[in-house]
Structure formats: C-alpha cells, structure tokens
C-alpha cells in the first residue's frame, strides 16, 4: 500500500512541479541565449549587456522561487491532503497512518532533491558555466581538507531535506490534532505555526546544549580552546586541527538529526492514529 | 442475525460542547438504518467514529468484530457530507484510485452508472457542478461491495430529482448482506426505504426501533414521531 500511496502522491504533485521546472528551464535557456549573443558579437551594445543581465536575473529569481516553492508546496500538499477535505478520503483508505505519513515524506524529499538538481543544472545553463568540481576538490585536498569532510557534508545536506519536512509535518500534525477546552474553535493553522516555533526553539536549545557539552568534554573550555588557538596556526596543521573539531560537531549533528527525525515522525504517526479529529 | 457494528459507551466532546455521551448500540447485517436527529445532535460525530475520522474519548467501536483500523476500513464504504476528491483529478483518475485501493470496488458498475449520468470520464472534478460532484462521489462509494455503507447526509442540499437519483443509486447498488447507515434530516424522503431508525438527541441515543414497530406501536410515521421527539 505504501507503494500505491507513493505513486499517487508523486503523480499529484508532479503536475505543478514539472510545470515549475519547465519555467525554470525556459528562463535559464533565454538567459543562456542572451549571454551567448553578448559574448559572440563584438559590437554588442550596452543595451545587450543590460538585457543579458536582466535575463540572468530573471533566471536566478525563477530558480530561487522554484526551490523555495517546492518546499512550501510539499508542506501545503501534506496539509491539504491529510487535514482538509481530501483527508476524508485519505484517512478512510485501508492503509495505516504511518503509510500515509511516510508516503508524503518520501515524495516530498524526492521532489526537494529533484528541485535542487534542476536548480544546479539551470544555474549552469543560465550562466553558461560548469564548475570544475574535481579541480575544486583536489585544491581543497591539497590545502589540508580531509576527504571525509566532503562526503559527510554532502550527507548532512541530503539529510537536512527530510529533516526540514519532518519539522513542518509534525507541526501541522500537532496543530490539527490539538484539543482545547475552549468553546470557540481554535485556528488549527495558527496552532501549527505555534507548534513550529516551539519545536524550532526546542531543537536549537538541544543542539546548542549538545555541542556545548561536547566542547566542554573534549576541549575543556569554550573560551580558551584549541580550536581558537589553531586559527592562529598556519597551513595544513591548522586545517587538521580545525577539521578534527568538525568531526565531533558533525557526529553530534548527524546523531541529533536522526534522533529528532525518528522521534518526531513516531510522534506524528501516533497523533494521527490516536488523536485524529477531522471536525 | 450477524452483528456488523457494535458501539459501547462512545463519548466525545468538542471543547465544552457535547458531541456524544455514552452511546451504545448494535447494528445487524442486512438492514438500512436511518440515523436521525436535528443539526448538532451527534449524527456526523457517530459516523466519523465508525469510519475512523474521529477517535472517541471513551468507548469502543467494533466493525465486523474488529476495532476501527485498516481491516475495518477495508469493509466500510463512507460518503462524507462534503466533496473529498481533489479538484485537480479527472473522473477516470478517481475511478482508478478507488480500484487501486479498494479490493471490493466494482469498476464496471461504476462506469455503467457514470455513463448513465452522461459524464465525460476525462472531465476534471473542478469542472463538474456541485450536484454532479456529489453524484460521482456517491456512484463510487456505492460501487464497492462493502459490508458497511456510511452515508452522511447523502441528500443534503440537492434538488428533488437528484434525491431520487441518489435513493435509486443506493437501493439498486448496495450489497444486500451489508448494513447501510444513512444520516439525514430529510426523513420523508428516506422513510420508505428504512428498516430501522436511530434517534440521536444531544449526543445520546433517544430511540432505536424498527420502522414497522413505530408504525404499529405508535401508529405514526417516522416523520411524525421525529417532529414529536424533537419539538422545539
């Protein structure tokens, strides 16, 4: 059933997102054409420069809107499909609550990744520039950046997509399943926003606390640290010291991200199962 | 007779407003039951609890001997009082959707009824009139060979001709071994098709009798008794 739900969620969201990708592709293509014209004609005027700049700006704007829009759209889709009128259909399907939740999470994550890939491709096209990644990496390695740093940074960036969606989803689940004893009905969207703010603050406090504890345990002091000293060192030695610190901070970040995501997802599914209130 | 629905001590409050209070009842198979009561009496709350859209604060619901969950939802066909299909979907897509998720869905029956309505399968839900949206929804719900049909205000806000279509669709398509629960306050329209009636008053069970019993014992129609029980 998860597969069927996933197919349905991907198909439903595809209509708008594919249209957005098309618009981004078109604006990037137009920007590329004007850049080519500008670069290949020696008698290109000042007007051509302005037009080329404008089309590049339009493409950049379209890319930014598309990436932010993907996140907003997937969150609104979750709300519409599970807690508005469509919820009457979805919650009466013979499927489990966790399947409804994870189908939306997987679809949202896949579209977020796809949007970022489209954004990177569109930027390369719009500015007619493909960065030489192998060269950038080899330069960084020569400067003392360890290999694991690239892999772990990429992993954290990839993990941050579902984590971000989970934070929004859990806020909506709490906002829409909250029970109050007041006579007037509560605004569930407002409750969702409040849930998000509380959740965000709690998460920041936990993260800072964990890093503080780690720093005190490993360095002894957060003001007179090896990390601060190492900044004054030169070259590879400084890099080794700094990245040694990063290893610990990254490990804490990954553990916290996984722990919070699993915990919040379990909580969301439990609320949907035991406290659903489509009234 | 096989018991399909059992509710024990169901209670629900919306803040300080009472939804249901200690409601218990048992509904056997093969009956068409009217859930009757004025607005806000708890009819929709009861139906939502039976199909799993609301979790009771107290009490228990068993559908075909199973608590509300995946197994019960597989045998319950629910028609809400509001449109629940996405506007962006086409009629053909909602038919595919029902076929994919409900093992008891009869595609041929649905297609035959939709053709009778003269609806283009490629039409988007957003392009349909309010009446046609409700008809499409009813057709799909009644095209399932379910054990329990929960119909919440199926005739609310439609013209008399549409009401006839709705009643005909219900009567000619439901599984005869199933229980059909119809929540409505248009009693005169449904009275002739009901086997039993349940009156809900301020969240409590006020009466559960067969229509024949009401007619014989009280010498009244269900409509007349309703007006008497719920007189303002």
């Amino acid at each position: 059933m998860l597969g069927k739900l996933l197919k349905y969620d991907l198909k439903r969201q595809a209509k708008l997102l594919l249209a957005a990708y098309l618009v981004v592709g078109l604006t990037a293509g137009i920007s590329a054409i004007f850049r080519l014209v500008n670069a290949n004609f020696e008698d290109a005027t000042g007007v051509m420069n302005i037009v080329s700049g404008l089309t590049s700006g339009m493409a950049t704007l379209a890319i930014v809107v598309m990436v932010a829009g993907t996140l907003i759209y997937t969150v609104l889709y979750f709300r519409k499909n599970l807690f508005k009128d469509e919820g009457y259909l979805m919650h009466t399907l013979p499927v489990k609550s966790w399947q409804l939740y994870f189908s939306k999470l997987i679809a949202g994550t896949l579209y977020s990744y796809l949007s970022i890939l489209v954004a990177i491709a569109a930027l390369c096209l719009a500015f007619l520039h493909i960065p030489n990644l192998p060269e950038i990496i080899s330069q960084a390695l020569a400067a003392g950046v360890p290999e694991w740093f690239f892999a772990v940074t990429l992993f954290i960036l990839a993990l941050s997509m579902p984590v971000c969606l989970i934070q929004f989803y859990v806020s909506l689940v709490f906002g829409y399943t909250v029970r109050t004893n007041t006579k007037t009905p509560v605004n569930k969207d407002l409750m969702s926003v409040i849930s998000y703010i509380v959740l965000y603050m709690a998460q920041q406090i936990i993260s800072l606390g964990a890093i503080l504890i780690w720093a005190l345990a490993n360095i002894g002091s957060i003001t007179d640290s090896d990390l601060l000293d190492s900044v004054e060192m030169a070259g590879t030695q400084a890099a080794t010291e700094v990245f040694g610190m990063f290893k610990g901070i990254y490990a804490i970040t990954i553990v916290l991200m996984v722990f919070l995501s699993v915990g919040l997802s379990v909580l969301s599914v439990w609320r949907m199962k035991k406290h659903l209130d489509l009234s | 007779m096989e018991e399909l629905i059992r509710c024990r001590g169901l209670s629900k409050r919306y803040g300080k407003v009472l939804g249901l209070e200690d409601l218990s009842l048992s509904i056997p198979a093969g009956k068409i039951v009217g859930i009757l009561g004025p607005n806000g009496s708890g009819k929709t709350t009861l139906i939502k609890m039976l199909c799993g859209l609301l979790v009771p604060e107290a009490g228990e619901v068993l559908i075909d001997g199973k608590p509300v969950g995946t197994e019960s939802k597989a045998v319950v066909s629910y028609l809400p009082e509001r449109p629940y299909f996405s506007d962006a979907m086409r009629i053909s897509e909602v038919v595919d959707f029902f076929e994919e998720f409900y093992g008891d869905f009869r595609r041929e029956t649905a297609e035959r009824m939709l053709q009778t309505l003269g609806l283009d399968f490629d039409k988007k839900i957003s392009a349909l009139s309010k009446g046609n949206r409700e008809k499409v929804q009813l057709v799909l719900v009644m095209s399932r060979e379910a054990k329990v049909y929960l119909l919440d205000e199926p005739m609310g806000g439609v013209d008399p001709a549409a009401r006839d279509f709705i009643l005909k669709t219900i009567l000619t398509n439901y599984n005869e071994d199933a229980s059909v629960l119809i929540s409505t306050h248009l009693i005169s329209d449904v009275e002739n098709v009901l086997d039993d009636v349940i009156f809900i008053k301020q969240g409590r069970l006020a009466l559960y009798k067969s229509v024949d019993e009401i007619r014989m014992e009280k010498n009244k129609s269900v409509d007349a008794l309703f007006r008497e029980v719920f007189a303002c």
Side-chain angles (χ1 to χ4, degrees):
Chain A
M1 281 295 183
L2 181 63
K4 287 180 184 178
L5 285 170
L6 187 57
K7 187 180 128 193
Y8 167 73
D9 285 329
L10 287 171
K11 204 174 155 188
R12 280 285 313 280
Q13 292 174 88
K15 288 176 184 171
L16 188 83
L17 292 176
L18 293 183
Y21 298 157
L22 191 69
V23 171
V24 164
L26 277 173
T27 53
I30 292 166
S31 163
I33 290 167
F34 277 99
R35 277 188 172 259
L36 271 176
V37 170
N38 213 17
N40 289 300
F41 288 92
E42 284 177 3
D43 55 347
T45 60
V47 176
M48 276 304 288
N49 279 330
I50 293 169
V51 173
S52 174
L54 276 176
T55 53
S56 298
M58 287 288 285
T60 310
L61 184 68
I63 290 164
V64 171
V65 169
M66 184 267 290
V67 172
T70 302
L71 179 68
I72 295 166
Y73 179 62
T74 49
V75 171
L76 290 179
Y77 175 76
F78 180 87
R79 169 179 168 270
K80 186 184 175 200
N81 197 245
L82 293 183
F83 297 113
K84 294 289 177 182
D85 287 353
E86 289 174 30
Y88 284 72
L89 176 63
M90 300 312 288
H91 287 290
T92 50
L93 290 175
V95 298
K96 293 187 184 297
S97 300
W98 71 263
Q99 292 173 324
L100 288 172
Y101 177 85
F102 279 102
S103 154
K104 306 247 170 326
L105 180 60
I106 295 168
T109 305
L110 288 177
Y111 275 121
S112 300
Y113 290 155
L114 187 59
S115 292
I116 285 171
L117 290 178
V118 170
I120 293 168
L123 278 172
C124 292
L125 176 65
F127 291 93
L128 294 172
H129 174 72
I130 299 171
N132 189 346
L133 279 180
E135 198 186 314
I136 294 169
I137 291 171
S138 63
Q139 278 175 1
L141 289 174
V145 179
E147 282 175 19
W148 64 262
F149 182 75
F150 294 103
V152 177
T153 304
L154 200 64
F155 177 71
I156 289 177
L157 284 175
L159 199 61
S160 64
M161 284 295 162
V163 171
C164 180
L165 286 176
I166 286 168
Q167 287 171 345
F168 282 111
Y169 289 176
V170 76
S171 307
L172 282 168
V173 171
F174 267 90
Y176 274 83
T177 57
V178 75
R179 268 179 57 197
T180 56
N181 286 321
T182 53
K183 214 167 185 177
T184 41
V186 290
N187 184 324
K188 293 183 174 184
D189 289 321
L190 181 65
M191 295 307 288
S192 303
V193 173
I194 293 169
S195 299
Y196 184 82
I197 294 168
V198 171
L199 183 71
Y200 182 80
M201 283 165 63
Q203 194 195 327
Q204 293 302 313
I205 291 167
I206 292 169
S207 305
L208 279 173
I211 289 172
L212 200 65
I213 291 167
W214 174 85
L216 288 172
N218 289 277
I219 303 166
S221 163
I222 53 164
T223 51
D224 183 23
S225 69
D226 289 347
L227 178 67
L228 294 175
D229 293 343
S230 67
V231 173
E232 290 163 16
M233 292 177 213
T236 315
Q237 196 195 347
T240 311
E241 291 279 339
V242 171
F243 286 105
M245 301 293 172
F246 264 117
K247 214 176 226 178
I249 293 169
Y250 268 20
I252 292 171
T253 307
I254 292 171
V255 168
L256 278 178
M257 280 171 113
V258 171
F259 180 75
L260 282 171
S261 302
V262 172
L264 292 175
S265 293
V266 169
L267 213 59
S268 296
V269 172
W270 175 74
R271 291 288 305 179
M272 275 166 55
K273 194 176 171 187
K274 299 287 180 192
H275 297 274
L276 185 66
D277 189 351
L278 285 191
S279 52
Chain B
M1 207 176 282
E2 187 194 354
E3 180 189 68
L4 274 183
I5 299 171
R6 170 169 281 276
C7 304
R8 263 195 298 253
L10 291 184
S11 293
K12 172 80 186 171
R13 278 182 174 273
Y14 300 100
K16 286 175 182 163
V17 180
L18 184 72
L20 283 181
E21 174 89 338
D22 195 27
L23 189 135
S24 299
L25 53 86
S26 164
I27 296 171
K31 297 270 187 188
I32 302 181
V33 182
I35 302 179
L36 313 176
N39 289 335
S41 58
K43 305 187 296 288
T44 297
T45 300
L46 174 62
I47 285 192
K48 281 182 179 174
M49 282 181 186
L50 297 178
C51 65
L53 288 174
L54 265 181
V55 181
E57 285 159 11
E60 177 191 42
V61 176
L62 294 175
I63 306 283
D64 200 19
K66 298 167 192 89
V68 174
T70 319
E71 284 178 83
S72 78
K73 288 173 184 176
V75 299
V76 171
S77 194
Y78 166 63
L79 179 79
E81 57 184 329
R82 60 183 73 203
Y84 66 4
F85 293 137
S86 161
D87 281 353
M89 289 174 92
R90 296 178 192 283
I91 294 177
S92 58
E93 287 175 327
V94 292
V95 172
D96 291 342
F97 183 88
F98 262 62
E99 189 176 35
E100 204 152 3
F101 283 97
Y102 296 113
D104 57 7
F105 182 68
R106 298 167 294 181
R107 190 184 181 97
E108 302 76 36
T109 308
E111 285 179 345
R112 184 172 34 82
M113 283 196 278
L114 288 170
Q115 274 162 1
T116 313
L117 285 169
L119 293 172
D120 177 3
F121 282 38
D122 281 334
K123 222 171 191 181
K124 279 194 171 180
I125 297 293
S126 58
L128 298 175
S129 66
K130 182 179 177 278
N132 275 342
R133 276 185 205 208
E134 288 180 2
K135 284 174 190 168
V136 169
Q137 208 159 283
L138 178 75
V139 162
L140 291 172
V141 166
M142 295 312 298
S143 296
R144 286 183 58 196
E145 208 156 344
K147 285 191 172 177
V148 175
Y149 296 87
L150 301 173
L151 313 176
D152 195 2
E153 300 283 359
M155 291 169 296
V158 294
D159 58 73
R163 279 182 216 164
D164 288 344
F165 169 84
I166 290 166
L167 268 183
K168 194 178 145 204
T169 306
I170 295 169
L171 291 176
T172 51
N173 289 287
Y174 82 98
N175 172 10
E176 287 185 9
D177 298 324
S179 295
V180 183
L181 268 71
I182 306 175
S183 147
T184 185
H185 37 238
L186 297 168
I187 302 162
S188 54
D189 284 300
V190 293
E191 183 165 351
N192 291 332
V193 305
L194 298 178
D195 295 309
D196 296 341
V197 288
I198 291 169
F199 282 7
I200 298 182
K201 193 176 184 180
Q202 290 170 346
R204 295 182 182 87
L205 183 69
L207 177 134
Y208 184 5
K209 271 189 191 296
S210 79
V211 173
D212 290 341
E213 272 179 309
I214 291 171
R215 283 183 188 141
M216 283 166 63
E217 286 175 13
K218 314 248 181 199
N219 204 21
K220 282 178 185 149
S221 68
V222 176
D223 196 17
L225 182 66
F226 182 89
R227 287 168 199 272
E228 190 181 295
V229 171
F230 296 103
C232 298

